[in-house]
Amino acid sequence: MTDTLTDIVRVGVVGCGQMGAGIAEVAARSGLEVMVAETTGEALEIGRTRLHNSLSKAAERGKITEEERDATLDRLSFTTDLGEFADRDLVIEAVVENEQVKTEIFQVLDQVVTRQDAILASNTSSIPLVKLAVATSRPDQVIGIHFFNPAPVQKLVELIPALTTSEDTVLRAEAVVQGVLGKHAIRAQDRSGFVVNALLIPYLLAAVRMYESGIASREDIDNGMELGCAHPMGPLKLADLIGLDTVASVADSMYAEYKEPLYAASPLLQRMVDAGRLGRKTGAGFYAYPAA
Ligand SMILES: NC(=O)c1ccc[n+]([C@@H]2O[C@H](COP(=O)([O-])OP(=O)(O)OC[C@H]3O[C@@H](n4cnc5c(N)ncnc54)[C@H](O)[C@@H]3O)[C@@H](O)[C@H]2O)c1
């Protein structure tokens, strides 16, 4: 195991949205060399700015020194060409929660990543890992590495081996996540929702239904759980933070898997997604988020 801890040096992150940027930051702050890929130059610029701002904030708050911020930035590179991931030891995909898009990315990664025992990971919240694994010619090396939002802050990572994933891949992923990235890893089977979302999503959906049926105001629902149960954030604020499209698509995947009504997204949630009110990332969700 000793050399497996150190033989992952070059990391690729696909997607530089909320999660991809956070994962890239965690990996670069841990001393890894990180390349981030996005679809277009414009998306890449947005992602780069997001990462720079987050690192500058961390430095302002004294969480890292200015030297550490600059050294972290030096370890980050950006591209719109997945072909540049040829020399990566570990790739973590963090694009939109869409099975078709993710499958195509895994097919491309399988073609371009030259290292035979490279780990190909997905940050998916709900798509069966086995579907991404069998899209490649190396299904034993595909695994779910599921970070939590915001990735630089949250300590937990879920490791989800597909039916096809080798124990060696799981152990190497665990060594990086715990030994290098400093996160706490828990393992879950490849079942929709894994551990945390299987418990969290029905709770968020219940809060949306409660708001929709007029039982209480959004503030009272959130205050209820913050002040009554000591949750750091009420469920509607948390749904806005996660992104309502992500909440709805995770719920849809869990509903498709289990056919349980408690996993069904309510009409209001669907309409908000259709309206593009996705939460903090679009400036409006259950609450308004005026641009800073
Ligand atoms: N938001 C959360 O709280 C959370 C938590 C854990 C896991 N996740 C999972 O992480 C993944 C990303 O979620 P997010 O919240 O960061 O979404 P997001 O919408 O903020 O970011 C997605 C990014 O992917 C990019 N993208 C789309 N197609 C791409 C492609 N072909 N190549 C490269 N980039 C591409 C988009 O341009 C966008 O920047 C999803 O699978 C989601 O389920 C989200």
Side-chain angles (χ1 to χ4, degrees):
M1 285 306 300
T2 39
D3 58 349
T4 56
L5 252 185
T6 53
D7 77 350
I8 289 184
V9 176
R10 287 176 292 272
V11 174
V13 177
V14 193
C16 197
Q18 296 193 88
M19 294 306 297
I23 294 165
E25 179 179 332
V26 169
R29 276 170 66 171
S30 305
L32 299 170
E33 192 194 301
V34 183
M35 186 181 284
V36 183
E38 259 291 350
T39 38
T40 62
E42 199 188 349
L44 200 58
E45 269 324 298
I46 295 170
R48 190 202 300 262
T49 305
R50 189 193 292 265
L51 247 164
H52 279 221
N53 290 347
S54 175
L55 282 167
S56 293
K57 244 183 227 163
E60 275 164 29
R61 290 181 183 155
K63 293 195 172 138
I64 52 174
T65 64
E66 292 195 352
E67 291 72 34
E68 280 165 342
R69 177 199 60 198
D70 294 344
T72 301
L73 287 171
D74 283 348
R75 285 192 286 271
L76 282 159
S77 56
F78 298 85
T79 184
T80 52
D81 176 12
L82 271 187
E84 290 194 42
F85 277 22
D87 65 352
R88 299 293 106 177
D89 305 310
L90 162 68
V91 179
I92 304 175
E93 168 279 311
V95 307
V96 281
E97 189 74 344
N98 176 304
E99 188 176 322
Q100 174 79 23
V101 175
K102 287 189 193 283
T103 303
E104 281 168 19
I105 288 170
F106 273 78
Q107 285 165 341
V108 173
L109 292 173
D110 189 31
Q111 296 295 317
V112 302
V113 175
T114 53
R115 182 170 159 178
Q116 288 307 304
D117 65 349
I119 297 175
L120 304 182
S122 174
N123 186 50
T124 180
S125 304
S126 61
I127 293 165
L129 271 308
V130 75
K131 294 204 178 176
L132 305 178
V134 299
T136 73
S137 64
R138 30 185 146 177
D140 54 321
Q141 287 155 236
V142 175
I143 186 168
I145 301 185
H146 186 229
F147 289 80
F148 288 78
N149 191 12
V153 176
Q154 303 286 16
K155 285 289 285 178
L156 188 72
V157 168
E158 289 174 321
L159 290 178
I160 306 101
L163 267 185
T164 52
T165 309
S166 69
E167 184 61 15
D168 179 60
T169 299
V170 183
L171 290 174
R172 291 169 63 222
E174 195 170 54
V176 176
V177 165
Q178 301 207 135
V180 181
L181 305 183
K183 300 291 186 189
H184 182 94
I186 61 173
R187 284 196 198 193
Q189 284 188 12
D190 185 14
R191 297 288 185 279
S192 191
F194 316 134
V195 171
V196 174
N197 280 331
L199 297 171
L200 177 66
I201 294 292
Y203 158 67
L204 298 182
L205 296 176
V208 176
R209 280 194 290 270
M210 180 178 276
Y211 174 61
E212 189 170 3
S213 60
I215 291 174
S217 68
R218 59 187 182 180
E219 290 83 2
D220 283 352
I221 293 170
D222 281 340
N223 283 334
M225 296 311 289
E226 288 169 26
L227 305 177
C229 294
H231 285 198
M233 194 180 278
L236 299 175
K237 280 186 207 158
L238 180 56
D240 273 358
L241 174 71
I242 294 169
L244 301 189
D245 53 339
T246 302
V247 173
S249 64
V250 177
D252 288 348
S253 300
M254 289 170 60
Y255 186 74
E257 180 126 312
Y258 300 109
K259 312 288 187 297
E260 295 272 8
L262 82 164
Y263 298 129
S266 71
L268 176 63
L269 185 62
Q270 308 274 18
R271 296 299 180 280
M272 290 177 77
V273 172
D274 292 342
R277 290 195 196 165
L278 307 183
R280 277 196 201 187
K281 64 184 169 185
T282 57
F286 290 104
Y287 297 87
Y289 303 91

